[in-house]
Amino acid sequence: SNSYTAVYPYQENASLSGDDVTNVTLPAIQYARDNSFDKKAALMMAKSTNTTLVFKNAVGYVKVKPRFACSKIVLQAVNPTEYLAGKCTLSYGDGKPSIAFTPEQSTSITLSGNITANTAYYIAVPAVTLSAGWSISFTDTTGDVYTRTGSNNITFKRNTIINLGEFSRTDNKLKLTLSKNGEVPADKQVDMGVFTIGDKNYRVIFATSNLTKDGLAENEYDFGDYFAWGATEPWCTQYSRTGTGYDVKVSPTAWDNTKNAKVYYYTTLPFRDGNNWYCNQYINDGEKLAMEHDAARQILKGDWQIPTKEIWDKLCETSNYEWTKSSKAEYNGYNGYQVKSKKSETGTIFLPVTGEFYNSWPSCDGTYGSYWSGTANSKDAAYSLYLYFYYDGGYTQISKKDRYFGYSVRPVRLVVESFADPVATTERYDYENDFKWE
């Protein structure tokens, strides 16, 4: 009797070997289609004694729904012998097709293309159990990579969708692998975890050191330059620093002569209202600096900014962050506060006690210092983070300060997750299983 065997989609190099089809490829790179799958990866097989062919799925699907736009999604197996894609043989037994890979095939599948937020995507996978570990990673449009590692085994079944759920950049269970942003390389950034302001969740990424006129200070214990509020460059452009601990001293050696700004005083105040001591911009409590007036954005580019009052407020929440006085050797003996996130194993920054500039005189003895926020308080003041460090005590608080003071800036960038309405999806299979992560 006649026997007919067919494979979909068309495979140029496929050949029939007995009852099997060899030299078939399940692609390791699949094209992202909104609410669907790559048709070239949708392997199916039919076997019949006549020319009426009923194709059955040889693969299953992994469903994911990122809450943010991506350039690619990668599904990865840890075990080098648990293959997810590559050259294989399709067999047809017990009324259904199956896949058997040849040796040394791919342990990952990359879904690439225009991956939009709040949209479901499907990755074609073989029937296999990943027993030695696996992960799913999402590369956003800035190049940052967010990865979730599976602590449980996962089994992909033929003709079944397994739903891994929705993924948000502000989920602490996603490990962030940072990339360069603006002028700041990845190794100069620290992920301090996620917190909520208003109705949105933010992942907060701090720079590891203070701002200077040329970028970031080299070390986390360096003081950086001193900025008036709203100034995008420091009036003092060079100083010497001697001593450590409580013996530290700062001595200015150069000033920005182009602005004739030899004093941190109301006469050099940005946005000064005529000859008055107050300002005519950002005069209301809670107003935020526009990015054109933000020193961190103007110097570092990218998404960097001066922390707002709300960001400093959140960093001071002891339920999420631990503040510790420190002058340890790793900080070269300089006094300051180590801030450690309770949500992230690697989320730690050091804020040195940098003193301040008032008029032409720096005041710095290792006991206090302030970091500007980007939030105005009134027509003459803005909010700052005040650090007090002393032998038998110390504290931190949010204070309002005259804008003309020269304070430090610790840049930050935020990854905000939009809470836009989700896009409706149309399932292509009769049933779907939700994966249990925990």
Side-chain angles (χ1 to χ4, degrees):
S1 62
N2 293 329
S3 178
Y4 299 88
T5 301
V7 170
Y8 174 90
Y10 172 72
Q11 301 266 332
E12 182 179 3
N13 297 317
S15 61
L16 187 64
S17 177
D19 293 330
D20 302 331
V21 180
T22 61
N23 291 324
V24 176
T25 299
L26 176 57
I29 298 177
Q30 300 179 17
Y31 178 71
R33 292 172 55 97
D34 293 356
N35 304 309
S36 188
F37 49 81
D38 184 352
K39 294 181 179 179
K40 293 183 179 179
L43 289 184
M44 291 184 282
M45 187 176 184
K47 193 172 183 66
S48 178
T49 57
N50 56 56
T51 55
T52 300
L53 299 175
V54 178
F55 283 89
K56 292 189 175 182
N57 293 295
V59 296
Y61 290 91
V62 169
K63 177 185 176 182
V64 293
K65 188 177 183 180
R67 295 295 301 267
F68 54 99
C70 301
S71 60
K72 65 179 178 180
I73 300 172
V74 178
L75 179 67
Q76 176 73 57
V78 171
N79 190 329
T81 63
E82 292 177 346
Y83 304 132
L84 292 175
K87 288 193 176 299
C88 60
T89 295
L90 292 187
S91 302
Y92 202 98
D94 298 326
K96 58 186 178 182
S98 61
I99 296 174
F101 287 102
T102 58
E104 299 182 2
Q105 298 305 308
S106 177
T107 56
S108 69
I109 296 175
T110 298
L111 190 68
S112 63
N114 183 26
I115 300 171
T116 59
N118 300 311
T119 305
Y121 293 90
Y122 297 80
I123 304 171
V125 292
V128 63
T129 296
L130 305 182
S131 59
W134 60 281
S135 64
I136 184 90
S137 65
F138 303 81
T139 302
D140 71 10
T141 53
T142 72
D144 289 340
V145 181
Y146 297 82
T147 302
R148 177 125 193 219
T149 300
S151 56
N152 295 336
N153 295 347
I154 190 168
T155 297
F156 304 136
K157 297 179 180 180
R158 186 198 72 82
N159 201 44
T160 301
I161 297 170
I162 186 165
N163 182 16
L164 298 186
E166 296 186 2
F167 294 83
S168 166
R169 286 178 296 193
T170 54
D171 183 352
N172 275 314
K173 294 177 181 179
L174 283 179
K175 181 181 178 182
L176 172 59
T177 302
L178 294 163
S179 61
K180 182 179 180 181
N181 186 278
E183 300 298 323
V184 183
D187 62 354
K188 292 290 187 179
Q189 304 176 48
V190 176
D191 178 9
M192 294 296 286
V194 175
F195 55 63
T196 301
I197 297 177
D199 62 350
K200 291 183 179 179
N201 291 328
Y202 296 83
R203 185 178 291 272
V204 184
I205 301 166
F206 269 92
T208 59
S209 58
N210 287 349
L211 187 67
T212 73
K213 62 183 177 62
D214 300 315
L216 290 179
E218 181 177 357
N219 303 299
E220 57 187 340
Y221 50 79
D222 291 337
F223 289 2
D225 284 329
Y226 295 82
F227 294 81
W229 195 84
T232 57
E233 56 186 343
W235 304 156
C236 175
T237 56
Q238 186 174 327
Y239 61 84
S240 63
R241 182 178 62 169
T242 59
T244 58
Y246 296 104
D247 299 319
V248 66
K249 299 294 180 185
V250 169
S251 301
T253 57
W255 296 87
D256 182 358
N257 291 324
T258 62
K259 290 186 177 297
N260 194 28
K262 288 193 175 182
V263 290
Y264 287 83
Y265 200 47
Y266 77 90
T267 54
T268 60
L269 188 63
F271 322 118
R272 185 184 179 192
D273 187 3
N275 293 323
N276 295 310
W277 48 267
Y278 52 81
C279 302
N280 57 19
Q281 291 189 54
Y282 307 108
I283 62 176
N284 299 313
D285 185 26
E287 281 192 81
K288 309 293 193 301
L289 275 175
M291 290 300 104
E292 63 189 279
H293 301 139
D294 187 300
R297 176 63 60 87
Q298 294 304 307
I299 294 171
L300 300 178
K301 311 303 180 184
D303 300 318
W304 297 98
Q305 66 176 76
I306 299 172
T308 61
K309 176 181 180 293
E310 290 84 355
I311 294 174
W312 285 132
D313 281 337
K314 290 295 182 178
L315 204 69
C316 289
E317 289 182 351
T318 56
S319 60
N320 295 322
Y321 297 93
E322 180 181 0
W323 288 69
T324 306
K325 287 173 58 181
S326 180
S327 55
K328 296 188 296 186
E330 66 180 290
Y331 302 127
N332 225 30
Y334 292 102
N335 292 346
Y337 282 86
Q338 183 185 73
V339 188
K340 184 176 182 180
S341 170
K342 294 181 179 179
K343 297 181 178 180
S344 170
E345 295 179 359
T346 58
T348 301
I349 58 174
F350 178 70
L351 297 173
V353 176
T354 57
E356 65 186 25
F357 265 77
Y358 170 69
N359 213 314
S360 298
W361 312 301
S363 176
C364 183
D365 58 7
T367 61
Y368 71 94
S370 293
Y371 286 79
W372 278 127
S373 83
T375 306
N377 168 258
S378 63
K379 61 184 178 181
D380 63 328
Y383 291 100
S384 70
L385 172 68
Y386 178 77
L387 308 179
Y388 182 68
F389 190 108
Y390 208 60
Y391 297 96
D392 57 352
Y395 60 87
T396 64
Q397 67 180 26
I398 306 299
S399 302
K400 53 184 180 180
K401 299 287 186 177
D402 289 330
R403 298 185 188 185
Y404 53 75
F405 274 89
Y407 290 150
S408 300
V409 170
R410 177 58 64 92
V412 71
R413 68 181 178 97
L414 301 177
V415 177
V416 58
E417 200 58 62
S418 172
F419 290 150
D421 293 331
V423 177
T425 64
T426 302
E427 301 294 355
R428 295 176 179 267
Y429 277 60
D430 291 336
Y431 59 96
E432 172 182 314
N433 294 330
D434 292 336
F435 180 69
K436 299 186 183 301
W437 283 96
E438 306 295 345

